[in-house]
mmCIF file of all heavy atoms in Angstrom:
data_model
loop_
_atom_site.group_PDB
_atom_site.id
_atom_site.type_symbol
_atom_site.label_atom_id
_atom_site.label_comp_id
_atom_site.label_asym_id
_atom_site.label_seq_id
_atom_site.Cartn_x
_atom_site.Cartn_y
_atom_site.Cartn_z
ATOM 1 N N ARG A 281 -3.610 -14.454 -8.851
ATOM 2 C CA ARG A 281 -4.888 -15.069 -8.392
ATOM 3 C C ARG A 281 -5.774 -13.819 -7.843
ATOM 4 O O ARG A 281 -5.247 -12.930 -7.257
ATOM 5 C CB ARG A 281 -4.640 -16.037 -7.322
ATOM 6 C CG ARG A 281 -5.817 -16.910 -6.876
ATOM 7 C CD ARG A 281 -5.382 -18.006 -6.085
ATOM 8 N NE ARG A 281 -5.719 -17.757 -4.612
ATOM 9 C CZ ARG A 281 -5.706 -18.614 -3.652
ATOM 10 N NH1 ARG A 281 -5.131 -19.895 -3.998
ATOM 11 N NH2 ARG A 281 -5.922 -18.357 -2.493
ATOM 12 N N LEU A 282 -7.094 -14.112 -8.105
ATOM 13 C CA LEU A 282 -8.029 -13.126 -7.573
ATOM 14 C C LEU A 282 -9.057 -13.824 -6.634
ATOM 15 O O LEU A 282 -9.553 -14.800 -7.025
ATOM 16 C CB LEU A 282 -8.822 -12.555 -8.787
ATOM 17 C CG LEU A 282 -9.950 -11.456 -8.336
ATOM 18 C CD1 LEU A 282 -9.279 -10.261 -7.771
ATOM 19 C CD2 LEU A 282 -10.738 -11.168 -9.555
ATOM 20 N N ASP A 283 -9.154 -13.360 -5.444
ATOM 21 C CA ASP A 283 -9.979 -13.996 -4.380
ATOM 22 C C ASP A 283 -11.060 -12.917 -4.070
ATOM 23 O O ASP A 283 -10.777 -11.716 -3.832
ATOM 24 C CB ASP A 283 -9.216 -14.251 -3.164
ATOM 25 C CG ASP A 283 -8.215 -15.410 -3.453
ATOM 26 O OD1 ASP A 283 -7.115 -15.207 -3.919
ATOM 27 O OD2 ASP A 283 -8.541 -16.570 -2.992
ATOM 28 N N ILE A 284 -12.312 -13.538 -4.011
ATOM 29 C CA ILE A 284 -13.451 -12.699 -3.579
ATOM 30 C C ILE A 284 -14.308 -13.362 -2.453
ATOM 31 O O ILE A 284 -14.617 -14.578 -2.723
ATOM 32 C CB ILE A 284 -14.373 -12.322 -4.770
ATOM 33 C CG1 ILE A 284 -13.585 -11.548 -5.896
ATOM 34 C CG2 ILE A 284 -15.591 -11.509 -4.350
ATOM 35 C CD1 ILE A 284 -14.366 -11.423 -7.150
ATOM 36 N N SER A 285 -14.526 -12.710 -1.411
ATOM 37 C CA SER A 285 -15.172 -13.342 -0.204
ATOM 38 C C SER A 285 -16.254 -12.355 0.303
ATOM 39 O O SER A 285 -15.840 -11.494 1.069
ATOM 40 C CB SER A 285 -14.263 -13.762 0.867
ATOM 41 O OG SER A 285 -13.213 -14.571 0.351
ATOM 42 N N PRO A 286 -17.510 -12.462 -0.079
ATOM 43 C CA PRO A 286 -18.563 -11.699 0.676
ATOM 44 C C PRO A 286 -19.021 -12.496 1.920
ATOM 45 O O PRO A 286 -19.705 -13.476 1.729
ATOM 46 C CB PRO A 286 -19.659 -11.601 -0.458
ATOM 47 C CG PRO A 286 -19.407 -12.759 -1.329
ATOM 48 C CD PRO A 286 -18.091 -13.230 -1.218
ATOM 49 N N LEU A 287 -18.639 -11.899 3.023
ATOM 50 C CA LEU A 287 -19.086 -12.586 4.371
ATOM 51 C C LEU A 287 -20.154 -11.719 4.979
ATOM 52 O O LEU A 287 -20.172 -10.576 4.878
ATOM 53 C CB LEU A 287 -17.877 -12.675 5.257
ATOM 54 C CG LEU A 287 -16.579 -13.290 4.606
ATOM 55 C CD1 LEU A 287 -15.456 -13.483 5.611
ATOM 56 C CD2 LEU A 287 -16.910 -14.718 4.018
ATOM 57 N N PHE A 288 -20.943 -12.425 5.721
ATOM 58 C CA PHE A 288 -22.118 -11.788 6.326
ATOM 59 C C PHE A 288 -22.256 -12.018 7.864
ATOM 60 O O PHE A 288 -21.889 -13.147 8.298
ATOM 61 C CB PHE A 288 -23.410 -12.280 5.672
ATOM 62 C CG PHE A 288 -23.399 -12.082 4.150
ATOM 63 C CD1 PHE A 288 -23.050 -13.128 3.233
ATOM 64 C CD2 PHE A 288 -23.796 -10.870 3.595
ATOM 65 C CE1 PHE A 288 -23.054 -12.925 1.946
ATOM 66 C CE2 PHE A 288 -23.797 -10.544 2.269
ATOM 67 C CZ PHE A 288 -23.354 -11.732 1.353
ATOM 68 N N GLY A 289 -22.589 -10.882 8.589
ATOM 69 C CA GLY A 289 -22.589 -11.058 10.011
ATOM 70 C C GLY A 289 -23.631 -11.993 10.622
ATOM 71 O O GLY A 289 -24.759 -11.992 10.059
ATOM 72 N N CYS A 290 -23.170 -12.607 11.642
ATOM 73 C CA CYS A 290 -24.144 -13.696 12.244
ATOM 74 C C CYS A 290 -24.440 -13.313 13.662
ATOM 75 O O CYS A 290 -25.211 -14.005 14.351
ATOM 76 C CB CYS A 290 -23.605 -15.096 12.146
ATOM 77 S SG CYS A 290 -23.291 -15.662 10.483
ATOM 78 N N THR A 291 -23.855 -12.268 14.165
ATOM 79 C CA THR A 291 -24.049 -11.814 15.618
ATOM 80 C C THR A 291 -24.473 -10.344 15.583
ATOM 81 O O THR A 291 -24.335 -9.624 14.567
ATOM 82 C CB THR A 291 -22.927 -12.108 16.496
ATOM 83 O OG1 THR A 291 -21.844 -11.192 16.066
ATOM 84 C CG2 THR A 291 -22.478 -13.466 16.425
ATOM 85 N N HIS A 292 -24.970 -9.894 16.806
ATOM 86 C CA HIS A 292 -25.379 -8.462 16.861
ATOM 87 C C HIS A 292 -24.213 -7.556 16.769
ATOM 88 O O HIS A 292 -24.366 -6.428 16.224
ATOM 89 C CB HIS A 292 -26.162 -8.261 18.200
ATOM 90 C CG HIS A 292 -26.503 -6.793 18.392
ATOM 91 N ND1 HIS A 292 -27.516 -6.236 17.774
ATOM 92 C CD2 HIS A 292 -25.964 -5.920 19.255
ATOM 93 C CE1 HIS A 292 -27.649 -4.973 18.216
ATOM 94 N NE2 HIS A 292 -26.657 -4.690 19.025
ATOM 95 N N ASP A 293 -23.054 -8.029 17.247
ATOM 96 C CA ASP A 293 -21.815 -7.147 17.153
ATOM 97 C C ASP A 293 -21.191 -7.234 15.836
ATOM 98 O O ASP A 293 -20.255 -6.462 15.563
ATOM 99 C CB ASP A 293 -20.816 -7.672 18.196
ATOM 100 C CG ASP A 293 -21.412 -7.377 19.611
ATOM 101 O OD1 ASP A 293 -22.257 -6.421 19.837
ATOM 102 O OD2 ASP A 293 -21.023 -8.277 20.533
ATOM 103 N N SER A 294 -21.538 -8.057 14.890
ATOM 104 C CA SER A 294 -20.892 -8.192 13.680
ATOM 105 C C SER A 294 -21.308 -7.232 12.620
ATOM 106 O O SER A 294 -22.349 -6.620 12.754
ATOM 107 C CB SER A 294 -21.206 -9.535 13.073
ATOM 108 O OG SER A 294 -20.976 -10.661 13.879
ATOM 109 N N PRO A 295 -20.398 -6.761 11.719
ATOM 110 C CA PRO A 295 -20.947 -5.937 10.601
ATOM 111 C C PRO A 295 -21.944 -6.686 9.790
ATOM 112 O O PRO A 295 -22.020 -7.959 9.799
ATOM 113 C CB PRO A 295 -19.638 -5.591 9.800
ATOM 114 C CG PRO A 295 -18.718 -6.775 10.116
ATOM 115 C CD PRO A 295 -19.041 -7.218 11.549
ATOM 116 N N VAL A 296 -22.805 -5.914 9.196
ATOM 117 C CA VAL A 296 -23.860 -6.455 8.253
ATOM 118 C C VAL A 296 -23.143 -7.285 7.125
ATOM 119 O O VAL A 296 -23.622 -8.441 6.909
ATOM 120 C CB VAL A 296 -24.776 -5.471 7.695
ATOM 121 C CG1 VAL A 296 -25.727 -5.920 6.681
ATOM 122 C CG2 VAL A 296 -25.469 -4.597 8.870
ATOM 123 N N ALA A 297 -22.150 -6.668 6.607
ATOM 124 C CA ALA A 297 -21.427 -7.393 5.466
ATOM 125 C C ALA A 297 -19.898 -7.058 5.627
ATOM 126 O O ALA A 297 -19.607 -5.874 6.048
ATOM 127 C CB ALA A 297 -21.930 -7.028 4.050
ATOM 128 N N ASP A 298 -19.071 -8.038 5.347
ATOM 129 C CA ASP A 298 -17.618 -7.826 5.447
ATOM 130 C C ASP A 298 -17.082 -8.446 4.121
ATOM 131 O O ASP A 298 -17.034 -9.612 3.971
ATOM 132 C CB ASP A 298 -17.059 -8.525 6.639
ATOM 133 C CG ASP A 298 -15.660 -7.997 6.856
ATOM 134 O OD1 ASP A 298 -15.154 -7.275 6.121
ATOM 135 O OD2 ASP A 298 -15.053 -8.385 7.956
ATOM 136 N N VAL A 299 -16.850 -7.542 3.118
ATOM 137 C CA VAL A 299 -16.376 -7.956 1.798
ATOM 138 C C VAL A 299 -14.897 -7.874 1.587
ATOM 139 O O VAL A 299 -14.361 -6.810 1.883
ATOM 140 C CB VAL A 299 -17.238 -7.127 0.723
ATOM 141 C CG1 VAL A 299 -16.853 -7.622 -0.690
ATOM 142 C CG2 VAL A 299 -18.696 -7.295 0.889
ATOM 143 N N PHE A 300 -14.291 -8.927 1.077
ATOM 144 C CA PHE A 300 -12.896 -9.014 0.848
ATOM 145 C C PHE A 300 -12.698 -9.143 -0.647
ATOM 146 O O PHE A 300 -13.318 -10.004 -1.307
ATOM 147 C CB PHE A 300 -12.248 -10.073 1.606
ATOM 148 C CG PHE A 300 -12.220 -10.031 3.069
ATOM 149 C CD1 PHE A 300 -13.346 -10.453 3.785
ATOM 150 C CD2 PHE A 300 -11.198 -9.409 3.776
ATOM 151 C CE1 PHE A 300 -13.322 -10.350 5.135
ATOM 152 C CE2 PHE A 300 -11.203 -9.330 5.079
ATOM 153 C CZ PHE A 300 -12.284 -9.779 5.805
#
Side-chain angles (χ1 to χ4, degrees):
R281 193 168 100 173
L282 179 67
D283 291 78
I284 302 176
S285 304
L287 308 182
F288 303 96
C290 301
T291 66
H292 177 75
D293 296 330
S294 306
V296 176
D298 197 356
V299 179
F300 295 85

